Amino acid sequence: MGPIRLFSDFDGRIGLRAFWFGSAAVALTLLALQKLAPQFTDRQTAQTIVAFAGAFALFPWAALAAKRANDRGSTPLFGILLICAIVLPEQLRSWLPFGWRPSLEAISTIAWIAAFIDLGLMPSAKDEAVAQPATAEASSG
């Protein structure tokens, strides 16, 4: 799968290596932009650029998560919702009263843990399907 399709298409499946590579590429790009933008523009413009890039990064991360969720045997919507649950509470923080902050942080943390375990650590569903018949044959014999 090419890099354009990896970051822009919600169809298909990707394994652990492609998921981690893509996630690292998006995160490193955002980090580099956060460090470089203030050096080339004034502070307000740099903040605007970084905020826009952060919002734009939702799309490639959602595409990666959708493909990885599909690879895990789940619906792509599950991956997209996990990414939204990680990122959107931070965006809502300034609009809600102070009392909501612990709840928003809890939602984001739970989504991070679920995404890390399910999308980032678990093997592909096809790998599990291949391993199960071998165990069923061993137990019946």
Side-chain angles (χ1 to χ4, degrees):
M1 178 176 300
I4 292 175
R5 186 164 179 239
L6 180 68
F7 295 116
S8 64
D9 191 5
F10 290 84
D11 293 330
R13 299 165 58 125
I14 57 171
L16 283 170
R17 182 174 288 160
F19 175 74
W20 282 112
F21 170 75
S23 295
V26 173
L28 290 174
T29 301
L30 284 174
L31 182 64
L33 191 60
Q34 285 177 342
K35 299 297 180 187
L36 292 175
Q39 295 178 2
F40 294 108
T41 63
D42 62 287
R43 184 173 181 232
Q44 182 64 32
T45 305
Q47 287 177 342
T48 304
I49 290 170
V50 169
F52 178 76
F56 182 76
L58 274 173
F59 189 84
W61 260 328
L64 289 167
K67 286 192 280 295
R68 181 67 186 130
N70 193 25
D71 187 55
R72 287 274 308 125
S74 183
T75 175
L77 185 59
F78 174 71
I80 294 168
L81 290 175
L82 276 177
I83 296 300
C84 289
I86 291 168
V87 176
L88 293 180
E90 180 64 31
Q91 305 304 319
L92 295 173
R93 177 177 287 186
S94 62
W95 293 3
L96 295 173
F98 182 77
W100 279 91
R101 288 187 182 177
S103 299
L104 294 174
E105 290 172 6
I107 291 168
S108 185
T109 302
I110 291 168
W112 265 113
I113 293 168
F116 180 73
I117 292 171
D118 191 40
L119 303 179
L121 297 178
M122 301 298 287
S124 299
K126 64 180 179 180
D127 293 343
E128 292 174 358
V130 171
Q132 283 180 346
T135 14
E137 290 174 9
S139 63
S140 65

